[in-house]
């Protein structure tokens, strides 16, 4: 293990060559319709890069400007406690959820449950084979929810891939009973329009509402017809999950024409994704608020009536945001951080060619009151360490670190690793800690790195696409107060009120 001083930054020439310049042009000018944000149903093919890119990467490693291949490095205030490699499930690792002493880790081939009662030595409790990318995961009480966003032959865990052009194909939500963590039971399935790329829980006492995000409709897909300008709402009775059903499809982007009222994308807005649904939603139930990252749009809406969410404000950034990917509120609900997944998670965008404002976080203040609240842009944040052009790197999933009076996040950046950063001053965000590995390859662009990085009950947990489940601990005067905060359950897209 190598420790690097936490003030280290990499503002070097990585990515300014002809290859990177060509990539930048493709990312910002190419048709958004051809991009598939987040890795697809099958593992991404390796992309052989030019000899000059490989030479530049090796030169950067030799000069100590980036870590060596697979080398673990981190700031002085971050400790790497454990890594549990992938086991029975070979697919991409994806999102995480938590409950008590357990962590639930999604994988394109199913999910894995860890006992994290000793964070330094997590133990596998069970692994469930149930293919269906990307298996976005969450838990509530005795129920576990799993998103299927790949066209399957049926809704069983033995299904195979099948074209979305066939009416019999299935995509949607799966529900498991996890009262016995060693033996989860599949209890229900609900088909949703265009599948379920991600989902967000709005839990109540008797029911759990699920907001299902999906996108990219086509006239050729019987179960995914345009316009797809809203979200599916599923109602799950806790005591009878087999009765789970779609109870509505609220339209978030009303408008005339076949595409609704979202961002039109190219050619009106070159390099920006056309809005044909949402990628991810985050709710703050204590404030009856939700934030939506919806391809070409960011939205703020009220969930006072969970079956009928109401949009309060809608914003676009047609200069620097290519694909609105996810959202995080601060605890006071007067700020929201949106992420831009430029390149769909499969490109090298943490380099000089792309720069600091694309593939980054956008920090917005929430101003005004009630239904008159507005999103006001303040600044961008991007990790200050350039990565090699062989490393997919872009803003991805993160969570608040609960420190009263401060706005601090931990966030995954794929092969850019894990970053801890402070946005208490919306106009001057800064990194305060990090963890990363060196590139998976020095001559080939291979998808990997941290998919999610979340703070839960004193530790940071990260699900690395290829390397497995990581446990980190940050010791810093800014974040130390969070060690006293405990919650019984955490689905990051259902943000708790940590201080109520």
């Amino acid at each position: 293990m190598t420790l690097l001083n936490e003030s280290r930054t990499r503002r070097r020439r990585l990515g300014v060559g002809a290859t990177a310049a060509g990539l930048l042009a493709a990312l910002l000018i190419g048709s958004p319709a051809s991009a598939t944000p987040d890795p697809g149903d099958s593992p991404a093919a390796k992309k052989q890069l030019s000899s000059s890119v490989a030479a530049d990467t090796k030169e950067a490693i030799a000069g100590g400007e980036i870590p060596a291949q697979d080398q673990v490095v981190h700031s002085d205030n971050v400790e790497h406690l454990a890594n549990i490699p992938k086991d029975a499930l070979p697919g991409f690792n994806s999102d995480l959820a938590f409950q008590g002493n357990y962590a639930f880790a999604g994988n394109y081939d199913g999910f894995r449950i860890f006992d994290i009662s000793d964070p330094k030595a997590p133990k596998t409790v069970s692994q469930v084979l149930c293919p269906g990318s990307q298996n976005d995961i969450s838990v509530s009480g005795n129920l576990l929810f799993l998103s299927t966003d790949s066209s399957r032959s049926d809704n069983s865990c033995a299904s195979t891939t099948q074209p979305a052009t066939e009416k019999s194909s299935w995509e949607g939500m799966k529900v498991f009973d996890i009262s016995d963590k060693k033996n989860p039971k599949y209890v229900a399935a609900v088909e949703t329009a265009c599948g379920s790329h991600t989902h967000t829980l709005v839990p109540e006492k008797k029911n759990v509402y699920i907001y299902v995000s999906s996108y990219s409709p086509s006239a050729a897909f019987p179960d995914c017809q345009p316009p797809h300008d809203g979200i599916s709402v599923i109602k799950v009775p806790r005591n009878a999950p087999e009765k789970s059903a779609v109870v509505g499809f609220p339209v978030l982007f009303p408008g005339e024409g076949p595409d609704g009222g979202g961002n039109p994308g190219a050619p009106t807005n070159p390099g920006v994704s056309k809005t044909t649904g949402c990628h991810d939603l985050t709710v703050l139930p204590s404030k009856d608020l939700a934030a939506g990252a919806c391809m070409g749009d960011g939205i703020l809406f009220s969930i006072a009536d969970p079956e009928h969410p109401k949009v309060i404000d809608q914003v676009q950034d047609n200069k620097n945001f290519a694909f609105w990917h996810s959202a995080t509120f601060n605890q006071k609900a007067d700020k929201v951080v949106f992420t831009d997944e430029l390149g769909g998670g499969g490109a090298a965008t943490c380099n000089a060619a792309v720069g600091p404002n694309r593939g980054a976080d956008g920090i917005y203040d929430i101003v005004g009151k009630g239904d008159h609240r507005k999103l006001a842009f303040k600044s961008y944040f991007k990790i200050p360490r350039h990565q090699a052009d062989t490393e997919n790197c872009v803003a991805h999933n993160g969570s608040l670190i609960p420190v009263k009076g401060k706005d601090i996040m931990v966030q995954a950046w794929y092969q850019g690793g894990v970053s801890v950063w402070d946005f208490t001053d919306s106009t001057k965000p800064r990194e305060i800690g990090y963890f990363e590995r060196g590139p998976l390859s020095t001559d080939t662009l291979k998808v990997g790195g941290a998919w999610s990085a979340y703070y839960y009950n004193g530790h940071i947990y990260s699900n690395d696409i290829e390397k497995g489940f990581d446990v980190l601990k940050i010791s810093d005067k800014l974040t130390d107060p969070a060690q006293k905060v405990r919650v019984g359950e955490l689905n990051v897209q259902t943000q708790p009120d940590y201080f109520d």
Side-chain angles (χ1 to χ4, degrees):
M1 180 179 292
T2 301
L3 295 178
L4 301 184
N5 187 280
E6 67 181 284
S7 64
R8 180 180 71 99
T9 60
R10 295 201 292 273
R11 296 291 188 192
R12 68 179 307 275
R13 62 188 182 89
L14 277 174
V16 298
T19 299
L23 170 64
L24 177 63
L27 288 173
L28 301 182
I29 301 173
S31 171
S34 65
T36 304
D38 290 332
D41 190 21
S42 300
K46 297 179 182 179
K47 181 181 179 182
Q48 194 71 31
L49 301 179
S50 70
S51 58
S52 63
V53 170
D56 192 48
T57 300
K58 291 172 183 176
E59 179 187 343
I61 291 173
E65 296 169 21
I66 64 173
Q69 188 172 354
D70 291 333
Q71 179 186 9
V72 171
V73 298
H74 50 78
S75 55
D76 292 338
N77 57 357
V78 171
E79 184 180 359
H80 188 205
L81 299 182
N83 170 261
I84 309 298
K86 290 195 289 190
D87 188 16
L89 305 176
F92 286 162
N93 282 331
S94 57
D95 213 2
L96 294 168
F98 305 90
Q99 185 182 83
N101 288 326
Y102 297 96
F104 304 83
N107 178 285
Y108 275 45
D109 287 324
F111 64 93
R112 188 174 182 180
I113 302 178
F114 292 99
D115 181 339
I116 55 171
S117 53
D118 180 359
K120 293 182 179 180
K123 297 178 180 178
T124 299
V125 177
S126 59
Q127 300 182 71
V128 175
L129 178 65
C130 196
S133 67
Q134 55 189 20
N135 278 335
D136 193 44
I137 194 168
S138 59
V139 294
S140 183
N142 288 329
L143 300 177
L144 179 147
F145 306 92
L146 210 61
S147 284
T148 298
D149 192 36
S150 61
S151 186
R152 313 296 297 179
S153 56
D154 56 51
N155 64 12
S156 76
C157 287
S159 67
T160 58
T161 59
Q162 181 170 290
T165 52
E166 295 188 24
K167 176 61 180 173
S168 62
S169 296
W170 185 91
E171 299 179 65
M173 289 298 309
K174 294 169 182 168
V175 184
F176 291 79
D177 184 322
I178 53 169
S179 52
D180 180 358
K181 304 294 189 295
K182 293 182 179 180
N183 186 32
K185 296 180 180 179
Y186 184 11
V187 296
V190 181
E191 186 171 17
T192 54
C194 300
S196 174
H197 192 69
T198 66
H199 68 269
T200 302
L201 303 187
V202 185
E204 295 188 338
K205 290 183 179 180
K206 293 183 178 180
N207 305 299
V208 180
Y209 287 97
I210 308 175
Y211 290 165
V212 176
S213 296
S214 55
Y215 53 93
S216 295
S218 169
F221 301 160
D223 298 319
C224 184
Q225 292 284 300
H228 186 71
D229 49 10
I231 57 174
S232 297
V233 179
I234 297 174
K235 183 178 181 180
V236 182
R238 290 188 185 276
N239 295 329
E242 68 279 2
K243 296 181 180 180
S244 301
V246 174
V247 294
F249 186 86
V251 174
L252 303 178
F253 301 98
E256 296 181 0
D259 301 317
N263 197 315
T268 304
N269 297 315
V272 178
S273 292
K274 177 181 178 180
T275 298
T276 59
C278 290
H279 179 276
D280 209 352
L281 308 177
T282 293
V283 298
L284 190 58
S286 63
K287 306 291 186 182
D288 286 334
L289 273 181
C294 302
M295 304 181 74
D297 295 87
I299 58 173
L300 182 71
F301 57 103
S302 167
I303 58 168
D305 180 351
E307 289 192 26
H308 303 94
K310 182 174 70 172
V311 174
I312 296 172
D313 194 25
Q314 176 182 352
V315 292
Q316 297 177 358
D317 179 348
N318 294 317
K319 179 181 180 181
N320 288 317
F321 261 46
F323 188 91
W324 295 67
H325 175 275
S326 52
T328 303
F329 288 102
N330 69 337
Q331 187 61 59
K332 291 183 179 179
D334 58 8
K335 299 174 189 175
V336 61
V337 174
F338 289 102
T339 67
D340 171 28
E341 196 185 39
L342 173 68
T349 73
C350 297
N351 53 34
V354 175
N357 296 336
R358 296 186 174 100
D361 296 315
I363 304 167
Y364 287 74
D365 282 357
I366 301 173
V367 298
K369 295 182 179 180
D371 289 350
H372 299 290
R373 282 171 285 190
K374 299 290 183 181
L375 293 164
F377 173 77
K378 292 299 176 180
S379 66
Y380 298 106
F381 171 79
K382 194 171 184 178
I383 55 173
R385 296 171 309 288
H386 285 160
Q387 307 297 309
D389 285 340
T390 61
E391 297 179 276
N392 62 305
C393 175
V394 76
H396 213 233
N397 293 352
S399 77
L400 286 184
I401 296 181
V403 177
K404 203 165 190 177
K406 298 287 184 181
D407 299 323
I408 302 174
M409 272 190 75
V410 59
Q411 185 176 5
W413 289 78
Y414 289 114
Q415 286 192 69
V418 174
S419 176
V420 179
W421 60 286
D422 185 336
F423 62 104
T424 305
D425 183 340
S426 302
T427 64
K428 295 179 180 179
R430 63 189 183 95
E431 185 175 74
I432 59 177
Y434 69 90
F435 164 89
E436 67 169 295
R437 291 181 170 89
L440 289 169
S441 171
T442 58
D443 58 11
T444 301
L445 178 57
K446 178 184 177 183
V447 171
W451 179 288
S452 300
Y454 299 146
Y455 188 92
Y456 177 69
N457 291 353
H459 292 84
I460 294 168
Y461 297 90
S462 175
N463 213 18
D464 187 288
I465 289 171
E466 292 294 341
K467 296 298 182 180
F469 183 71
D470 288 306
V471 185
L472 312 173
K473 188 172 180 64
I474 183 167
S475 300
D476 188 282
K477 63 181 181 180
L478 284 175
T479 60
D480 286 348
Q483 295 180 21
K484 299 177 182 179
V485 179
R486 292 291 185 269
V487 293
E489 192 171 88
L490 180 64
N491 301 294
V492 167
Q493 288 72 37
T494 307
Q495 289 188 217
D497 187 338
Y498 287 106
F499 305 110
D500 184 3

